[in-house]
Amino acid sequence: MDLYDLFFYMSLFAGFLMAFNLGANDVANSMASAVGAKAITVRQAVFIAGTLNFAGAVFLGSHVTATVSKGIINPAAIADPKLIMVGMFAALLAAGTWVLIATLTSLPVSSTHSIVGAIMGFGLVAGGPDVVNWLKMGGIVMSWIISPFFAATIGFLVFSHIRKYILFKRQFLRQVRFWAPFWIALTLALISLSFLYKTPAGKGLNLHWTVSLMIAAGLSGAAFVAARMVVTRMIANVEQGAEGVEQVFRKMQVGTSCYVALSQGANDVANAIGPVAAIYLIAKEHVLLAKADVPLSMLVLGGVGIAVGIAALGHRVMGTVGEKITTLTNTRGFAVDFGAASTVLLASNMGLPVSTTHAAVGAVAGVGLARGFKAVDFRVLGRIVMYWVATVPIAALTSIVFFVLLKWLCL
């Protein structure tokens, strides 16, 4: 076994570790609002997220290519492919270790930013400061501010609307019969556009934006008509009281949670498997391209890792985001899901680098603030923000240490 084979086999372990942490942290925090609002139990969340993430990763994931260096470094500027191979392995190990530490302390962090920071770290040592795309790094720093505040604003506005036009009205069951189909139709339009613009499978269709809008409008129109009938039947018994309102939003939240799990598997598996594919390419061809084909077997490895991660440790981050920042009900949880999903879709299409983790936490805080400052635990929120800011430098420094050690031992 030569050095290339050795690093390829070790990278399979490091890729699995990263995928495990994706499941335990990133995926778990996206299911947190549904668990916190008691729309589903932790066990159901683990089953839904595990199954749909695996399906998303394997069937809708980056079958064709994955951007290996995330645009953070220019691999062509590093002459020796062995350095990139060792660096990618060090980056995977460093990012996986940091996200695992965050998960064990029950705090949500961005796995994308972890791997970006780790790749930047080894890039600095291997090729110098000129190798790093500092403009891209600036955009990531901006996203620490943009995504949580954007999501918080949308979550605040959505829940304020639900409070004003449904919960605070005397005839709240009549109001939910009127407004719930509107929110369901809007959510389905958002999910349709998100699927077409955010998942590799949707992007592969290469639809013109007018066609995408027509598809979204058609689906949301059909959903509006169907939702009117279903909601009317659900709240036929006027004695249900306010619980009838929560029951309607509970069903809506289960639907959004399923979509989030599926799309997250499709999008995020490349964070763990992209660098493994890069190492595989170097081991096989002794060269690195900017993009790498990802074999199906590696997507399966990533899907299994995500499912195992959420089953083993997912409950930790779910508890923090779903229960410790603010108290969530089904109407509040729906506003969180809508705020986070809207932010990721809108900001991504504007070219802004956003994190689903940051958007989810921002939306939870925004919905909490709709009930006043006392409804939000700012100590928990402060600890989360500290971890966010520390993610890139810690992942970068750890990656540098791993890279220098491995270079000394193996090259």
Side-chain angles (χ1 to χ4, degrees):
M1 183 185 292
D2 62 15
L3 189 69
Y4 289 108
D5 289 336
L6 177 67
F7 269 90
F8 171 62
Y9 290 120
M10 289 198 303
S11 74
L12 292 178
F13 164 76
F16 184 84
L17 174 69
M18 192 63 201
F20 175 91
N21 288 306
L22 271 174
N25 201 301
D26 269 35
V27 177
N29 72 56
S30 68
M31 302 295 289
S33 63
V35 173
K38 307 287 188 290
I40 50 178
T41 63
V42 171
R43 188 173 294 180
Q44 287 169 331
V46 166
F47 178 75
I48 291 170
T51 308
L52 294 182
N53 262 274
F54 180 82
V58 175
F59 300 111
L60 302 176
S62 305
H63 281 279
V64 184
T65 54
T67 307
V68 170
S69 74
K70 315 291 288 179
I72 294 301
I73 61 165
N74 176 16
I78 302 172
D80 187 353
K82 281 183 188 169
L83 283 179
I84 300 177
M85 182 178 69
V86 173
M88 284 294 175
F89 177 74
L92 266 178
L93 215 53
T97 305
W98 169 243
V99 181
L100 181 62
I101 290 170
T103 305
L104 292 174
T105 49
S106 307
L107 292 174
V109 294
S110 166
S111 61
T112 305
H113 290 186
S114 302
I115 195 75
V116 160
I119 290 174
M120 182 193 75
F122 98 80
L124 275 172
V125 175
D130 293 341
V131 169
V132 178
N133 184 345
W134 293 107
L135 194 64
K136 185 105 178 177
M137 287 306 301
I140 286 171
V141 172
M142 286 295 292
S143 80
W144 293 339
I145 303 163
I146 295 168
S147 42
F149 279 95
F150 207 46
T153 305
I154 297 176
F156 179 92
L157 292 175
V158 170
F159 184 58
S160 296
H161 180 277
I162 292 170
R163 286 182 100 195
K164 184 175 179 184
Y165 292 100
I166 299 176
L167 299 176
F168 286 177
K169 292 286 184 182
R170 183 170 294 179
Q171 300 290 333
F172 47 78
L173 288 180
R174 184 184 296 170
Q175 289 296 109
V176 78
R177 197 177 295 136
F178 179 80
W179 283 110
F182 164 78
W183 283 114
I184 290 171
L186 205 57
T187 304
L188 202 75
L190 186 71
I191 286 175
S192 312
L193 291 172
S194 177
F195 180 83
L196 292 172
Y197 286 114
K198 281 290 291 172
T199 63
K203 288 176 188 172
L205 296 174
N206 287 321
L207 297 177
H208 192 270
W209 65 269
T210 51
V211 178
S212 301
L213 279 181
M214 285 171 65
I215 291 173
L219 286 173
S220 60
F224 182 85
V225 174
R228 279 296 290 260
M229 292 190 285
V230 173
V231 171
T232 302
R233 196 177 304 157
M234 280 177 69
I235 54 172
N237 181 7
V238 292
E239 292 179 0
Q240 291 172 103
E243 177 54 28
V245 176
E246 295 296 332
Q247 189 186 345
V248 172
F249 280 90
R250 189 178 305 141
K251 301 285 183 195
M252 291 159 67
Q253 229 195 328
V254 172
T256 53
S257 297
C258 289
Y259 168 72
V260 168
L262 190 71
S263 66
Q264 212 161 23
N267 287 318
D268 290 357
V269 70
N271 278 348
I273 299 304
V276 181
I279 294 169
Y280 170 70
L281 245 186
I282 296 171
K284 197 174 157 191
E285 308 286 345
H286 296 195
V287 291
L288 175 66
L289 304 175
K291 293 189 171 186
D293 288 345
V294 181
L296 187 64
S297 57
M298 289 189 192
L299 290 173
V300 171
L301 178 77
V304 171
I306 290 173
V308 173
I310 192 168
L313 295 176
H315 62 280
R316 289 176 174 268
V317 173
M318 279 186 211
T320 302
V321 179
E323 295 169 2
K324 292 184 180 171
I325 299 173
T326 191
T327 306
L328 292 177
T329 59
N330 298 119
T331 43
R332 294 170 201 163
F334 170 76
V336 169
D337 285 347
F338 193 90
S342 311
T343 300
V344 172
L345 178 64
L346 290 175
S348 299
N349 287 328
M350 288 164 67
L352 300 171
V354 293
S355 155
T356 310
T357 302
H358 298 180
V361 171
V364 170
V367 168
L369 284 173
R371 295 182 299 124
F373 282 92
K374 286 183 179 174
V376 178
D377 190 331
F378 285 98
R379 285 177 303 174
V380 175
L381 208 54
R383 285 183 62 208
I384 292 172
V385 171
M386 278 173 58
Y387 267 60
W388 289 355
V389 175
T391 290
V392 169
I394 287 182
L397 283 172
T398 315
S399 175
I400 288 171
V401 172
F402 286 158
F403 176 69
V404 170
L405 274 173
L406 287 166
K407 191 179 160 193
W408 177 68
L409 283 170
C410 305
L411 299 181

